[in-house]
């Protein structure tokens, strides 16, 4: 009999339910948790898993209690939200998506895993794979934006990065694909609201990233708080047990979201905790995070005959198997036993700085305002986000420390030792106080350059941070308008650095800024990375992973729309449009300027008649006609013109990258397996339909900028 079966045979019901329970240990290890003081619960085996414990010392002490003082000495599984770095914070996931670079995405996850494991952790609640097309939703910040293909690449990269080649390795973390599923489709972008989408949209848009995570071996999955068409995900047997486990063969651990099992009562599908616990167990949720529903509810559910001991044992086996795969039984202290070298930390900070610079999306750069010359005499840096190191961490700062973060002012001062850099916030984040604006604007007088740093606070995106007006806060707009007015009077240009956890509705800012950088939240190296880009040490290369609406009324706005029967035609009144705003986004998906100037020519696509087993190969000549070396991102979209189901007007299927010196031309090759052109047919089963398909290649989801070739897909 193997170790797990031997343990199971010895376990009491309380010990079994302890393995199915995860409680927040807080940063103070003996803080009150659902089991009272977690130390006692661990010694009795009433708690078998922890979250939110930071520091190798406290983690080791909790692990010691479990493996040395409890009866069965079963090691703890200890997890944390390592969402964009552990202590060395990199850009928030939406910003990192702007790199369109799966290799880097995997690298940063590997670095985060090393750092988290060095603190004794064995699990991260990441990657977040929710596709979001609604910028009102605060958790847009945590995902990879509006596009399914990007989220699929992110899923593969992050799971591989966190879990490495061997889950038992001392620097491997169990990854957690979350939040399964369609959480990004919450009603009106309002956090935790109901989600109700078609089966087709579920299959085409929201499921593929999770299927991809399972295919590369993700160890755990977290169901979303939300219901999907009336069935709360935490009790969604069809999608959890049938789709994930029976169809895809996922045999890992399903961990509920925080208190989500108890919240089945709020959803109105469980009258009490035992019923809620029974529904979740029936759906094969293995670990109850923070609801205490399994420990307190399942014994009653057993008595009522709502669940069986076999179902409980099935979940306990999966949890114990995960701990075994993590190597926790063989050596529970293997993670956290060795601090990382200074060289490793230095390497990581350099990577964080490079990723931060590459995450910046240059939305506008009129009259080559950027890069600024390095010989500036006096620069004024204005705005509440200019000297705001703490805010640079963005949402989910995990174990990061504000003192490790570099503000814009600090980064610029570091980069320009010979320049007088003066700063004033002008306004504060909260309140209507505009009394500081005049003094801030006066700083423009006598300056050679003006950098305006405005946008959201870190807490205005992430969880529980939906915004009905996803804009720049009103007092900051007053400040900005005053700065623009003074700059115009002085013949000066204004570089705007915009911080946010989502695209913002900023037509007035786009109109007036001479240069506009989307800086999202870039993590510890924010100020240095912004200085690197602003001063031309590196060219911006980020591309927006979400469309930027012109108006709130356009939301949800995304490029991969279906055409409809009356697609917009300026010559025909009765076509799809608004009376008061154009259909197009302010900035389309994939938009991002560089210090180069790239042109595309001579697209060739082979073969021109394609069977499903073939690989479509697109080649395009890219030339840098600008004055600076830069990296260009090349997108390959498809458009299935005639099919048995209406197809999106564009679908991203591949990305290429090339770095070119001024005047240089290179051919970029993008290969796409033809099987990627399958889609759910009329009966929702995957089909590869014969007929014409357009291949469109260029700098983003603006059809007017794309080169087009038409292929013919052949029937099987
Ligand atoms: C939170 C989030 C989830 C996170 C978990 C643990 O409420 O929904 O993303 O991993 O609880 O912190």
């Amino acid at each position: 009999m193997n170790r797990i079966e031997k343990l199971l045979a010895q376990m009491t019901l309380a010990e079994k339910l302890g393995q199915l329970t995860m409680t927040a240990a807080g940063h103070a290890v003996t803080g009150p948790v659902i089991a009272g003081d977690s130390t006692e619960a661990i010694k009795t085996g009433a708690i078998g898993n922890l979250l939110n414990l930071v520091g190798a010392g406290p983690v080791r002490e909790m692990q010691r209690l479990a493996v040395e003082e409890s009866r069965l000495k079963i090691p703890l599984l200890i997890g944390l939200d390592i969402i964009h770095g552990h202590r060395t914070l990199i850009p928030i996931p939406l910003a990192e998506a702007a790199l369109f670079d799966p290799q880097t995405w995997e690298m940063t996850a590997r670095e985060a895993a090393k750092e988290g494991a060095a603190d004794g952790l064995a699990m991260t609640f990441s990657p977040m794979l929710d596709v979001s097309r609604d910028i009102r939703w605060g958790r847009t910040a945590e995902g990879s934006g509006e596009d399914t293909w990007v989220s699929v690449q992110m899923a593969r990269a992050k799971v591989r990065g966190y879990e490495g080649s061997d889950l038992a390795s001392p620097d491997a973390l169990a990854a957690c694909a979350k939040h399964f599923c369609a959480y990004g489709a919450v009603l009106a972008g309002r956090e935790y609201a109901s989600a109700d989408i078609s089966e087709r949209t579920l299959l085409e848009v929201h499921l593929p990233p999770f299927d991809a995570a399972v295919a590369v071996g993700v160890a755990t999955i977290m169901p979303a708080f939300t219901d999907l068409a009336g069935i709360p995900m935490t009790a969604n047997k069809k999608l959890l047990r049938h789709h994930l486990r029976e169809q895809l063969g996922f045999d890992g651990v399903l961990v509920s979201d925080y208190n989500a099992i108890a919240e089945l009562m709020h959803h109105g599908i469980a009258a009490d905790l035992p019923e809620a616990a029974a529904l979740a167990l029936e759906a094969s949720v293995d670990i109850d995070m923070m609801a205490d529903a399994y420990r307190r509810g399942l014994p009653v559910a057993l008595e009522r005959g709502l669940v069986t001991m076999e179902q409980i044992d099935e979940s306990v086996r999966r949890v114990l198997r995960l701990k075994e795969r993590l190597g926790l039984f063989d050596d529970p202290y293997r993670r956290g036993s060795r601090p990382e070298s200074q060289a490793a930390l230095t390497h990581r900070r350099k990577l964080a700085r490079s990723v931060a610079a590459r995450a910046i999306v240059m939305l506008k750069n009129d009259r080559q305002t950027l890069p600024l010359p390095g010989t500036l005499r006096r620069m004024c840096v204005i705005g509440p986000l200019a000297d705001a190191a703490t805010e640079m961490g963005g949402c989910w700062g995990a174990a990061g420390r504000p003192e490790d973060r570099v503000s814009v002012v600090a980064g610029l001062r570091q980069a320009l030792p010979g320049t007088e850099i003066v700063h004033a916030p002008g306004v504060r984040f909260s309140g209507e106080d505009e009394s500081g604006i005049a003094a801030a604007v006066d700083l423009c007088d006598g300056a050679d350059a003006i950098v305006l740093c405005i946008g959201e606070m870190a807490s205005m995106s992430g969880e529980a941070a939906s915004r009905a007006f996803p804009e720049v806060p009103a007092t900051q707009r007053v400040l900005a308008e005053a700065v623009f007015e003074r700059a115009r009077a002085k013949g000066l240009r204004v570089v705007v650095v915009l911080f946010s956890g989502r695209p913002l509705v900023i037509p007035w800012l786009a109109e007036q800024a001479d240069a506009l950088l989307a800086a999202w939240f870039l993590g510890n190296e924010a100020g240095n990375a912004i200085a690197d880009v602003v001063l031309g040490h590196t060219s911006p290369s980020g591309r927006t992973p979400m469309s930027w609406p012109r108006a709130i009324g356009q939301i949800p706005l995304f490029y991969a729309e279906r055409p409809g029967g009356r697609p917009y035609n300026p010559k025909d009144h009765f076509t799809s449009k608004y009376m008061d705003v154009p259909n197009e986004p302010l900035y389309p998906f994939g938009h991002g300027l560089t210090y180069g100037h790239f042109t595309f020519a001579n697209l060739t696509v082979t073969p021109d008649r394609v069977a499903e087993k073939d690989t479509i190969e697109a080649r395009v000549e890219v030339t840098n006609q600008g004055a600076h070396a830069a990296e260009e991102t090349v997108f390959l979209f498809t458009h299935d013109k005639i099919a048995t189901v209406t197809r999106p007007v564009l679908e991203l299927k591949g990305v290429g990258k090339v770095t070119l010196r001024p005047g240089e031309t290179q051919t970029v090759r993008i290969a796409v397996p033809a099987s990627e052109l399958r889609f759910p047919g009329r009966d929702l089963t995957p089909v590869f339909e014969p007929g014409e398909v357009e291949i469109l290649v260029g700098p983003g989801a603006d059809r007017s900028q794309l080169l087009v070739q038409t292929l013919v897909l052949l029937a099987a």
Side-chain angles (χ1 to χ4, degrees):
M1 187 190 276
N2 68 25
R3 165 168 39 204
I4 289 173
E5 292 309 320
K6 277 185 193 154
L7 271 174
L8 206 53
Q10 301 169 62
M11 292 170 83
T12 64
L13 176 59
E15 286 164 334
K16 289 180 181 177
L17 299 182
Q19 290 304 309
L20 305 188
T21 299
M22 179 178 273
T23 180
H27 289 241
V29 290
T30 56
V33 289
I34 50 174
D37 178 327
S38 51
T39 52
E40 278 317 304
I42 289 167
K43 284 193 281 192
T44 62
I47 291 288
N49 310 286
L50 294 177
L51 76 146
N52 292 354
L53 191 57
V54 173
V59 167
R60 184 180 181 87
E61 177 48 22
M62 289 289 105
Q63 194 63 277
R64 188 193 64 76
L65 290 177
V67 300
E68 295 180 23
E69 298 197 20
S70 76
R71 185 175 79 90
L72 294 173
K73 308 199 180 333
I74 298 172
L76 294 170
L77 172 65
I78 305 176
L80 183 70
D81 291 286
I82 301 175
I83 307 298
H84 53 107
H86 180 54
R87 295 189 189 282
T88 306
L89 296 184
I90 63 167
I92 58 172
L94 186 64
E96 200 187 5
L99 274 72
F100 285 87
D101 180 355
Q103 198 176 356
T104 299
W105 296 339
E106 180 173 343
M107 202 189 299
T108 56
R110 187 87 294 277
E111 287 300 314
K114 288 176 185 173
E115 206 163 69
D119 256 1
L121 297 165
M123 174 181 188
T124 175
F125 304 114
S126 174
M128 190 270 214
L129 300 175
D130 303 308
V131 175
S132 168
R133 295 165 157 184
D134 190 323
I135 64 169
R136 293 169 294 185
W137 191 47
R139 304 199 80 165
T140 295
E142 298 174 55
S144 310
E146 70 183 64
D147 184 75
T148 298
W149 183 88
V150 174
S151 299
V152 165
Q153 310 312 313
M154 188 67 81
R156 293 173 182 150
K158 290 301 178 185
V159 170
R160 286 173 175 144
Y162 287 132
E163 298 191 350
S165 53
D166 174 9
L167 209 48
S169 163
D171 64 8
L173 295 182
C176 180
K178 73 183 189 183
H179 308 79
F180 186 77
C181 185
Y183 185 5
V186 283
L187 178 67
R190 193 176 72 247
E191 180 60 296
Y192 309 130
S194 175
D196 200 340
I197 56 173
S198 69
E199 188 82 16
R200 176 169 300 285
T201 297
L202 178 66
L203 289 169
E204 289 185 2
V205 176
H206 298 279
L207 273 180
F210 292 92
D211 294 1
V214 171
V216 295
V218 70
T220 73
I221 295 176
M222 182 186 289
F225 285 123
T226 41
D227 72 281
L228 180 56
I231 312 294
M233 284 313 305
T234 304
N236 198 313
K237 186 174 177 180
K238 179 177 175 221
L239 284 173
L240 297 180
R241 196 179 277 279
H242 298 322
H243 177 75
L244 286 178
R245 295 197 186 283
E246 291 164 10
Q247 283 182 338
L248 299 185
F250 174 68
D251 192 33
V253 167
L254 285 170
V255 53
S256 83
D257 204 335
Y258 200 104
N259 195 40
I261 296 177
E263 289 164 14
L264 294 175
M265 292 186 278
H266 299 160
H267 279 283
I269 64 165
D272 58 19
L273 209 57
E275 280 187 17
L279 287 169
L281 191 71
E282 178 65 25
S284 80
V285 174
D286 300 308
I287 290 183
D288 164 13
M289 181 194 285
M290 277 308 284
D292 218 9
Y294 279 5
R295 284 178 351 122
R296 290 173 30 223
L298 285 180
V300 177
L302 273 171
E303 284 163 15
R304 293 182 192 169
L306 300 177
V307 297
T308 65
M309 187 59 79
E310 287 67 35
Q311 284 174 309
I312 291 172
D313 290 351
E314 175 196 334
S315 283
V316 174
R317 280 192 187 90
R318 283 193 286 260
V319 174
L320 294 179
R321 209 161 29 241
L322 173 60
K323 293 183 178 183
E324 190 170 59
R325 287 183 60 209
L326 284 163
L328 292 172
F329 280 103
D330 298 335
D331 176 359
Y333 303 121
R334 69 174 49 188
R335 291 176 180 82
S337 55
R338 218 163 0 102
E340 292 190 280
S341 68
Q342 192 47 49
L345 299 178
T346 304
H347 164 73
R348 195 165 296 139
R349 275 196 84 95
K350 282 186 184 154
L351 176 64
R353 179 167 179 164
S354 158
V355 171
R358 295 175 62 200
I360 293 168
V361 178
M362 185 154 73
L363 298 171
K364 180 181 181 185
N365 189 25
D366 275 5
R367 298 175 292 158
Q368 305 309 312
T369 298
L370 288 175
L372 295 178
T375 54
L376 293 165
R377 187 182 45 80
R378 188 169 186 270
M379 174 192 279
C380 70
V381 189
I382 298 172
L385 280 142
D387 193 15
T390 301
E391 302 304 322
M392 301 296 105
C395 54
W396 293 107
R401 293 177 294 240
E403 60 270 26
D404 293 340
R405 293 166 210 161
V406 180
S407 72
V408 177
V409 170
L412 287 168
R413 283 187 171 140
Q414 169 82 18
L416 294 169
T419 301
E420 183 195 5
I421 295 179
V422 292
H423 157 66
V427 294
R428 278 192 288 277
F429 282 118
S430 53
E432 310 301 315
D433 177 9
E434 299 176 4
S435 61
I437 290 178
V441 171
D442 287 347
L443 291 182
C444 299
D445 301 347
D448 303 320
I450 303 171
V451 178
L452 177 62
C453 299
I454 56 175
E456 292 183 325
M457 287 176 74
S459 61
M460 294 165 75
S461 63
E463 184 172 358
S466 288
R467 296 181 68 205
F469 294 94
E471 300 168 314
V472 168
T475 47
Q476 292 186 40
R477 177 165 180 177
V478 175
L479 168 68
E481 301 281 9
V483 168
F484 288 133
E485 183 183 355
R486 181 66 62 87
R488 278 191 291 270
K490 298 285 181 184
L492 291 169
R493 298 183 193 176
V494 181
V495 175
V496 177
V497 186
L498 181 67
F499 295 89
S500 64
R502 57 186 26 116
L504 295 177
V505 177
I506 47 146
W508 61 274
L509 187 62
E511 175 64 33
Q512 299 181 77
D514 295 290
L516 177 57
L517 299 176
W520 318 104
F521 292 103
L522 296 171
N524 287 11
E525 290 294 307
N528 290 330
I530 289 165
D532 288 342
V533 166
V534 164
L535 300 173
H537 302 158
T538 181
S539 163
S541 57
R543 312 297 276 247
T544 177
M546 282 188 89
S547 311
W548 289 61
R550 295 172 189 277
I552 290 171
Q554 289 179 290
I555 299 169
L557 176 69
F558 52 97
Y559 80 85
E561 268 200 57
R562 300 185 198 284
R566 294 188 171 185
Y568 176 59
N569 170 355
K571 300 187 178 67
D572 182 344
H573 178 70
F574 298 98
T575 55
S576 178
K577 67 185 182 308
Y578 298 99
M579 300 280 285
D580 46 5
V581 72
N583 291 357
E584 294 73 27
L586 181 65
Y587 299 113
F589 171 90
H591 174 74
L593 304 176
T594 73
Y595 291 150
H597 174 69
F598 293 96
T599 56
F600 296 74
N602 303 326
L603 171 66
T604 62
V605 183
T606 55
D608 55 6
R609 299 175 64 75
V610 181
E612 185 172 357
K613 64 176 179 36
D614 290 337
T615 294
I616 297 165
E617 188 166 290
R619 293 172 183 275
V620 65
E621 283 178 7
V622 183
T623 300
N624 181 357
Q625 298 185 350
H628 295 266
E631 179 187 75
E632 177 63 341
T633 300
V634 183
F635 296 88
L636 184 150
F637 297 96
T638 61
H639 173 224
D640 193 338
K641 297 167 68 174
I642 305 293
T644 54
V645 175
T646 64
R647 306 302 305 141
V649 293
L650 288 176
E651 293 179 81
L652 183 63
K653 295 294 181 187
V655 162
K657 283 186 169 287
V658 63
T659 297
L660 297 175
R661 293 186 304 278
E664 190 180 1
T665 296
Q666 280 189 27
T667 297
V668 172
R669 171 185 174 276
I670 302 173
V672 176
S675 57
E676 295 260 316
L677 273 64
R678 290 194 301 176
F679 61 88
R682 282 207 172 218
D683 65 357
L684 295 179
T685 57
V687 294
F688 182 85
E689 287 192 350
E692 288 192 345
V693 169
E694 288 177 323
I695 302 294
L696 306 100
V697 174
D702 174 353
R703 182 181 269 265
S704 68
Q705 295 189 38
L706 301 177
L707 299 179
V708 186
Q709 287 275 324
T710 298
L711 303 176
V712 175
L713 302 190
L714 304 172

